[in-house]
Amino acid sequence: MNYLFPAQPIPYGRQHITEADIQAVVEALHADFLTQGPRVAEFEKQFAAYVGATYAVAVSNGTAALHLCALALNVQPGQRVITTPITFAASANCVRYCGGEVHFVDIDPATALIDLKAVRRLLESQPQGHFHGLIPVDFAGLPVNLEEARALADEFNLWIIEDSCHAPGGFFTDSAGEEQRCGNGQYADLAIFSFHPVKHIATGEGGMITTNREELYQELLKLRTHGITKDPAQMQRHDGGWYMEMQELGYNYRMPDMLCALGISQLQRADEGLARRRQLAMQYDVAFADLSDVQPLSSAIGHAYHLYVIQVKERKNLYDYLRTKEIFAQVHYIPVHTMPYYQRFGWQEGDFPLAENYYAHCLSIPLFPSLSDEEQQYVIACIREFYHA
Ligand SMILES: *Cc1c(COP(=O)(O)O)cnc(C)c1O
């Protein structure tokens, strides 16, 4: 096989930082506010516009975003919330932070997204009011059909938090033929995003909540900063210019001004990055079309391609082989219900056979906007070589 060994290892995902990004952060450092300055509101405004939501709240990371959403929706000890086993643990953990019970539902093997038909069966197996919420995940960047999820949620009186960490810029097409962007608040009560370095927009740590519901927005603002308000309209009294009220138990989950500067700068390239991800994904689709041992997860218009997942035979051997070639693939995800922590609540191996079967075969191969065509050709050549194709 004729190819050059890469100069640097190729990860499954990585950030892309430009000189303009660096300049934006330097400017913020020269300015007056290191934490809550004008760039926070600016990033929120621009991000809300990008996803098509009314309100956005910047927070310290995606996990904090999930926690604040669960608090704002008033998740109480013992309340039951449904999510998918094929996600990052944080999607489930936010329910536990509030003492709620996590209930998993198996995936649709064609998409690896939560199977809404299986969600319906679970809901119908219990009396009304048994479950309180649903946390669907736009896994790998493929948007969940939230119109269907909303219909189900309305029927059974559930709230919805869309975990959209993988899908900024993604959309699904609703029954009226309209494109519905992930996080636009049309169907979900709240949506969350992460700005971890492997995600579409990278700020190191960072997260965002979007919503169209004003009362939830006001509540999130308060919870993000210790439960404190300085808004005279919301206070019980007003002793003077210094006065503020802590009205409930909140947290310090703020995102600093200098990271919002990086977020604003990155957001300007979001469409470009997304277009490149889609192009690379299409090139992988074509390259593996003749390989029966390599099955890409479903593609779709509106897919945001955080991950490019293939399902393969001999996954562990392929993973190890790629490492010897300086290609660092990854597995997304180990089913959350099989984690020792969740086994304490009675979940066990065998509970969700489709998710477990998916896990046995999945591999995320390199996909990020700065991956060059040459690097991608090298990845493809190594995989084909492994299967003697
Ligand atoms: C990254 C991620 C999170 C958590 O985001 P952090 O910013 O790392 O806390 C939550 N859910 C999903 C699906 C993610 O991919």
Side-chain angles (χ1 to χ4, degrees):
M1 180 103 358
N2 245 335
Y3 48 66
L4 288 173
F5 212 64
Q8 286 174 352
I10 307 177
Y12 79 90
R14 66 171 302 165
Q15 73 274 22
H16 180 47
I17 302 290
T18 63
E19 269 314 309
D21 291 342
I22 293 166
Q23 277 316 309
V25 176
V26 169
E27 263 172 50
L29 286 169
H30 283 300
D32 290 337
F33 305 96
L34 281 188
T35 177
Q36 300 301 277
R39 290 166 185 82
V40 179
E42 183 58 30
F43 187 32
E44 290 172 340
K45 193 175 122 199
Q46 290 194 20
F47 193 88
Y50 180 66
V51 302
T54 312
Y55 305 104
V57 179
V59 294
S60 36
N61 54 60
T63 305
L66 284 160
H67 186 191
L68 288 190
C69 288
L71 288 167
L73 291 163
N74 207 16
V75 173
Q76 296 293 313
Q79 287 192 348
R80 300 176 189 87
V81 176
I82 298 168
T83 192
T84 169
I86 298 300
T87 186
F88 185 56
S91 314
N93 295 350
C94 64
V95 177
R96 295 294 309 133
Y97 296 153
C98 300
E101 284 179 18
V102 181
H103 288 254
F104 299 98
V105 165
D106 214 343
I107 59 166
D108 175 346
T111 60
L113 302 181
I114 194 167
D115 181 353
L116 292 175
K117 291 193 195 74
V119 174
R120 170 174 288 283
R121 286 196 294 275
L122 177 66
L123 291 166
E124 284 177 346
S125 74
Q126 298 293 339
Q128 271 281 355
H130 192 78
F131 293 98
H132 287 81
L134 177 64
I135 306 180
V137 179
D138 299 319
F139 173 69
L142 181 64
V144 169
N145 186 323
L146 286 181
E147 185 183 26
E148 284 174 21
R150 184 79 254 172
L152 206 52
D154 285 346
E155 206 177 316
F156 293 90
N157 207 11
L158 312 176
W159 48 253
I160 297 177
I161 302 171
E162 177 187 14
D163 182 337
S164 210
C165 284
H166 295 187
F171 63 86
F172 73 95
T173 306
D174 71 12
S175 58
E178 300 277 330
E179 286 179 9
Q180 298 289 347
R181 280 212 158 193
C182 297
N184 74 358
Q186 191 71 28
Y187 296 106
D189 297 279
L190 296 159
I192 68 110
F193 297 86
S194 161
F195 308 127
H196 177 280
V198 296
K199 309 286 163 73
H200 290 58
I201 293 168
T203 66
E205 298 285 352
M208 193 72 84
I209 306 167
T210 57
T211 184
N212 291 352
R213 291 183 54 185
E214 213 235 325
E215 79 284 11
L216 289 176
Y217 171 64
Q218 295 296 345
E219 186 62 19
L220 290 166
L221 289 180
K222 225 189 290 182
L223 289 169
R224 171 176 70 177
T225 184
H226 310 282
I228 288 174
T229 184
K230 292 177 188 166
D231 176 4
Q234 292 187 45
M235 296 192 302
Q236 294 180 8
R237 49 173 227 264
H238 196 35
D239 297 352
W242 64 87
Y243 189 72
M244 58 176 82
E245 275 177 8
M246 185 196 136
Q247 298 180 328
E248 52 203 295
L249 188 63
Y251 295 80
N252 177 355
Y253 279 167
R254 297 184 299 251
M255 184 172 179
D257 205 55
M258 53 185 163
L259 293 186
C260 289
L262 184 52
I264 293 167
S265 183
Q266 292 251 319
L267 188 56
Q268 314 312 311
R269 294 199 313 283
D271 282 333
E272 200 182 299
L274 187 55
R276 177 65 181 155
R277 285 172 182 276
R278 286 176 173 154
Q279 181 185 34
L280 288 164
M282 210 181 64
Q283 289 171 185
Y284 274 138
D285 283 347
V286 171
F288 299 134
D290 65 327
L291 276 189
S292 61
D293 290 337
V294 175
Q295 295 294 329
L297 253 193
S298 70
S299 59
I301 304 170
H303 200 307
Y305 286 108
H306 164 56
L307 301 173
Y308 191 86
V309 179
I310 53 177
Q311 290 177 280
V312 294
K313 282 193 192 140
E314 297 181 61
R315 193 265 314 275
K316 183 169 185 304
N317 290 343
L318 176 61
Y319 172 89
D320 292 339
Y321 179 77
L322 292 177
R323 285 187 76 123
T324 69
K325 299 285 181 185
E326 297 283 333
I327 298 167
F328 289 74
Q330 187 52 284
V331 168
H332 298 94
Y333 287 101
I334 304 160
V336 181
H337 71 280
T338 67
M339 291 290 174
Y341 174 77
Y342 282 98
Q343 291 198 17
R344 280 195 227 159
F345 301 94
W347 303 103
Q348 53 187 333
E349 206 111 0
D351 283 345
F352 303 106
L354 298 171
E356 291 164 31
N357 182 59
Y358 163 81
Y359 165 61
H361 299 284
C362 67
L363 194 66
S364 306
I365 60 175
L367 181 72
F368 47 93
S370 59
L371 183 73
S372 69
D373 283 344
E374 292 70 30
E375 287 171 319
Q376 185 185 33
Q377 287 310 316
Y378 171 72
V379 172
I380 292 166
C382 290
I383 293 171
R384 295 190 69 93
E385 188 177 70
F386 179 82
Y387 291 106
H388 310 290

